[in-house]
Amino acid sequence: MTSYRDLFRTPGVFRIVISQLIARFPAGMLALAALIHIEHQHASYTAAGLVLAALAIGQAVAGPLTSRIFERFGMFRVVGVTLTISALATVSLAIPNLSVPLYTVIAFIAGVSTPPIQPAARSLYPSMVPPAQRTALFSFDASVQEVIWIIGPVMVTFLSLNVHSALGILAAAALLAAGGVWFLASPQVVRARPEAPSGKLGAVLSSHALLMVLAIGFVISAATAMLEAATVATFGEGGIQAGLILAVLCCASLVAGFAVGQRELTRWSLVRRLGLVGIGLALASVSTDFWWVLASGVIAGAGIAPVIAAITHMTSNAVAAGDVAEAFGWSTTAQFVGIAGGSALAGVLIDLFGGQMALSMGAMLTFAGVALAALVGRGQPPARNARTGRPRRVWRVARLRA
């Protein structure tokens, strides 16, 4: 863990990582909290689904748009204004007895004003640590986020089901505000002067490297969403077995992320890590035995955080410095779309064929991502010579020029 100790000796790194982690806790809380609250208010999962769809659409739109304007208005102002609006809108979702259309509008506002704290933090990382430490930093960042998905749903379930349906939403708003204010108070954020973007909105999508990263981000998010939906459908919503499987999966992801965080990425790192997720999903699809699915979930989970760490590091290298924030905004959008699409497809497959079919489709989607990562070399780290350990070629990031 020497490199992690060295990492956190760098001024500001610990504060940025932990404050943005706290501010992003609503990512693992708000959807479930809103689902419980709206269903309690209107006794309808359809109504709750409409509200969640509006929230997801707003979050997907927000990613590239808010991070794009860092250079024009400054990181501090953009994060501060969106944080204020999003926190107020989130609190408003907890108001009882509103109509479904009004809840839907409020949810969209909360989503579209989601503060771009993750793109902001990840665009700051390259300027805070030397290149040799960036792989460890991005890996730590990706791994520690699993805490959101371990603690967040448990907190919401306890507060919303055992105390009051609105408390889960209010807890998410409180964590958003607390983490966001702490993040904004960091000197690195106050002094941040992002470089001007190199082109118009969306110009970063001409990068072959970024497009591959977005595709892999979509795949890993969709596959994870399908695994979660199939697990709940197979072992019972709210059941201890489903919760245990998902908790163990997240713990495996957390441990694996820390374990590989100090390793340098190579040409085949992404293939191996994503392949592990595919193998876990494929194994889980052949049996509904609890212990079999639990073990398969450990295998799949061991690849999730390492994949996210790899694509995060690759995103930071895929575009010019002034475009990094927007690139991370698109990355966030791709992952939100993957979660929404994976959940929707899993729901259809579960209703028609059962949870095992959803797992099979998740495995097939993941192996398609493995094939993409294996065939596309642009933007990936160089392969290593097995005997000398030296790069076989220089890592180049290919970008199309207008």
Side-chain angles (χ1 to χ4, degrees):
M1 291 296 177
T2 302
S3 61
Y4 284 134
R5 289 198 300 269
D6 294 341
L7 189 63
F8 288 108
R9 289 193 183 106
T10 304
V13 169
F14 179 83
R15 181 173 184 167
I16 292 291
V17 171
I18 302 304
S19 63
Q20 65 97 20
L21 173 70
I22 295 172
R24 292 190 63 250
F25 250 87
M29 299 175 64
L30 189 54
L32 179 58
L35 175 71
I36 294 171
H37 182 61
I38 305 304
E39 193 279 330
H40 278 205
Q41 298 301 306
H42 291 277
S44 170
Y45 280 104
T46 300
L50 289 173
V51 175
L52 294 187
L55 177 67
I57 291 171
Q59 290 171 329
V61 170
L65 291 180
T66 52
S67 56
R68 170 76 183 186
I69 58 177
F70 279 163
E71 183 273 334
R72 183 173 180 180
F73 297 104
M75 184 180 293
F76 181 87
R77 289 182 180 178
V78 173
V79 174
V81 170
T82 54
L83 175 66
T84 302
I85 297 172
S86 186
L88 291 174
T90 301
V91 170
S92 299
L93 276 177
I95 299 174
N97 302 320
L98 298 181
S99 66
V100 174
L102 186 53
Y103 275 129
T104 303
V105 171
I106 294 172
F108 178 79
I109 294 173
V112 81
S113 62
T114 299
I117 290 178
Q118 186 184 58
R122 290 178 172 176
S123 65
L124 288 173
Y125 289 161
S127 64
M128 296 177 67
V129 299
Q133 292 183 326
R134 289 175 190 170
T135 299
L137 177 54
F138 283 122
S139 181
F140 184 89
D141 181 287
S143 301
V144 78
Q145 287 182 52
E146 293 298 329
V147 174
I148 295 172
W149 307 103
I150 296 172
I151 298 177
V154 175
M155 185 186 304
V156 167
T157 302
F158 174 77
L159 292 174
S160 298
L161 294 180
N162 296 293
V163 185
H164 191 281
S165 65
L167 279 185
I169 294 176
L170 294 176
L175 288 169
L176 172 66
V181 170
W182 190 20
F183 179 80
L184 282 173
S186 302
Q188 291 80 5
V189 177
V190 175
R191 297 194 302 261
R193 296 293 181 269
E195 296 184 25
S198 61
K200 296 180 179 179
L201 176 66
V204 295
L205 298 178
S206 63
S207 165
H208 288 169
L210 181 59
L211 289 176
M212 188 199 68
V213 167
L214 296 184
I216 300 301
F218 170 86
V219 165
I220 190 66
S221 300
T224 303
M226 296 176 80
L227 172 59
E228 292 174 350
T231 300
V232 171
T234 302
F235 294 98
E237 185 174 355
I240 187 172
Q241 290 181 318
L244 183 59
I245 290 172
L246 296 179
V248 169
L249 181 147
C250 290
C251 289
S253 179
L254 178 66
V255 171
F258 285 131
V260 305
Q262 301 174 68
R263 297 181 184 178
E264 186 179 2
L265 294 175
T266 70
R267 170 68 178 82
W268 300 105
S269 293
L270 196 54
V271 172
R272 289 194 294 268
R273 297 176 186 191
L274 194 58
L276 200 60
V277 178
I279 291 170
L281 285 166
L283 290 173
S285 69
V286 303
S287 173
T288 58
D289 177 75
F290 168 73
W291 294 107
W292 178 269
V293 177
L294 181 69
S296 302
V298 170
I299 295 172
I304 293 174
V307 167
I308 295 174
I311 62 176
T312 300
H313 187 276
M314 291 164 65
T315 300
S316 71
N317 289 278
V319 295
D323 297 324
V324 168
E326 184 185 342
F328 278 118
W330 283 109
S331 178
T332 300
T333 294
Q335 291 173 35
F336 273 129
V337 172
I339 292 171
S343 298
L345 178 57
V348 173
L349 292 173
I350 289 167
D351 286 340
L352 293 176
F353 307 106
Q356 301 309 102
M357 181 58 72
L359 290 170
S360 297
M361 184 59 68
M364 287 188 283
L365 178 63
T366 304
F367 286 128
V370 171
L372 177 66
L375 294 173
V376 178
R378 286 184 170 184
Q380 296 205 58
R384 296 277 169 179
N385 186 292
R387 184 175 58 186
T388 66
R390 296 178 180 178
R392 291 177 183 162
R393 59 181 176 81
V394 176
W395 180 3
R396 291 183 177 177
V397 176
R399 290 193 293 273
L400 296 176
R401 298 186 181 275

